[in-house]
Amino acid sequence: MNFDSIKLQYEIPANNFTAAGEIVSSMKKVLSHLVINPAVIKRVAIAAYEGEMNAVIHAGGGSVEVTIDPDKITVKIADQGAGIPDLELAMQEGYSTAPEDIKQLGFGAGMGLPNMKENADVLDIDTRVGQGTTVVITVYIR
Amino acid sequence: MKVRDFAHRLGLDVLDGNDGLDGEVTGMYVGDLLSWVMSHAGKGSAWVTIHAHVNIVAVALITDLSCIIIAEGVKPDKATLDKAEQEKIPVLATEMTAYEVCWKAHEILQAEGVC
């Protein structure tokens, strides 16, 4: 890859599903222009979108920082929400604390975190109850 | 098979995303759990759903789907159509059930040797 590190920053507003879609759309365009393997872009996009949705649904929004290095893409999603009391439980597929109105939109099936884990090469979650959660998704460009 | 021809043969209404009508339909996918669709739908699939909110466009974009088919007479809101136009993702609509769409699509796509 013939470029230096590129950084993209976005804000995720609270209760705004459209904005999360915009972020992933913008991110995908930048990655496509850099001629990164479409399979890698898809994995980054899925993991990032799930993370953004979690911030919208559970934490009143947050921020996204995407760093594109020649060998890897890192997406850091940080919120100042309620935190995750039992991370092991939250990582289980099918476990969800999403409200009913969110489920009716097709989210909140308890697949967000498992999907992020499946699509990331490395998934780091730092969560503190009452303070917030920071998720770092790393996908290597092979 | 081009989305344009596929929509015409199935009798689907093309609501928006006209710039994407030359995309190729390479398969079908049905589902309403967005996380599941994102992780399982194949590139180029025509996606049948009953959701009509703006997030379906993001899902189609992430998954590289050829078009969205909103079944069972559900009407998308303006935000969905505006976003679809912007992202060049065709949004097709029908009164048919998801089952009927897939059954008819199968006949057409099989005859065309697509899937």
Side-chain angles (χ1 to χ4, degrees):
Chain A
M1 293 286 156
N2 189 23
F3 57 86
D4 294 329
S5 180
I6 295 168
K7 207 161 257 206
L8 311 169
Q9 283 179 314
Y10 307 95
E11 287 302 314
I12 314 170
N15 302 316
N16 187 334
F17 286 96
T18 316
E22 298 283 347
I23 293 170
V24 91
S25 154
S26 152
M27 201 173 81
K28 200 177 166 194
K29 275 178 194 132
V30 174
L31 295 173
S32 300
H33 285 150
L34 294 170
V35 204
I36 288 166
N37 180 342
V40 169
I41 296 178
K42 186 175 171 181
R43 286 172 54 212
V44 173
I46 292 176
Y49 189 60
E50 294 283 14
E52 290 163 24
M53 280 301 148
N54 279 344
V56 172
I57 296 167
H58 300 287
S63 63
V64 182
E65 188 181 283
V66 184
T67 310
I68 308 160
D69 291 310
D71 62 333
K72 66 177 189 291
I73 300 160
T74 315
V75 182
K76 181 176 167 185
I77 302 164
D79 70 57
Q80 296 180 326
I84 306 167
D86 187 338
L87 188 56
E88 201 179 323
L89 186 59
M91 291 304 295
Q92 285 178 17
E93 196 166 309
Y95 178 79
S96 173
T97 57
E100 200 52 41
D101 59 332
I102 296 294
K103 289 183 177 172
Q104 282 174 10
L105 291 175
F107 296 105
M111 286 191 63
L113 284 168
N115 241 0
M116 287 162 75
K117 192 177 174 188
E118 192 178 307
N119 285 285
D121 285 312
V122 182
L123 178 66
D124 277 325
I125 302 174
D126 180 11
T127 185
R128 284 155 212 225
V129 173
Q131 292 181 43
T133 302
T134 299
V135 176
V136 180
I137 299 152
T138 306
V139 177
Y140 295 112
I141 303 168
R142 296 195 179 86
Chain B
M1 180 176 204
K2 290 200 188 308
V3 174
R4 183 189 313 279
D5 303 328
F6 179 75
H8 179 70
R9 294 269 298 274
L10 269 166
L12 307 173
D13 297 327
V14 179
L15 301 185
D16 226 317
N18 286 291
D19 288 346
L21 289 175
D22 285 327
E24 288 288 325
V25 176
T26 58
M28 293 292 292
Y29 196 83
V30 194
D32 296 311
L33 279 182
L34 303 186
S35 291
W36 193 271
V37 174
M38 276 193 291
S39 56
H40 292 83
K43 184 181 176 185
S45 293
W47 170 35
V48 187
T49 181
I50 51 160
H51 287 304
H53 54 83
V54 67
N55 294 285
I56 60 174
V57 180
V59 169
L61 187 73
I62 291 168
T63 319
D64 291 321
L65 302 176
S66 55
C67 60
I68 302 168
I69 303 170
I70 303 177
E72 321 222 354
V74 178
K75 306 283 182 235
D77 49 36
K78 188 173 181 300
T80 303
L81 296 179
D82 289 350
K83 181 73 180 156
E85 190 68 39
Q86 186 191 333
E87 300 293 349
K88 301 179 181 169
I89 302 212
V91 175
L92 316 173
T94 178
E95 295 290 329
M96 286 188 279
T97 64
Y99 169 74
E100 288 169 320
V101 173
C102 292
W103 174 59
K104 289 191 176 174
H106 172 70
E107 288 194 327
I108 292 166
L109 293 175
Q110 193 181 40
E112 294 286 326
V114 176
C115 65

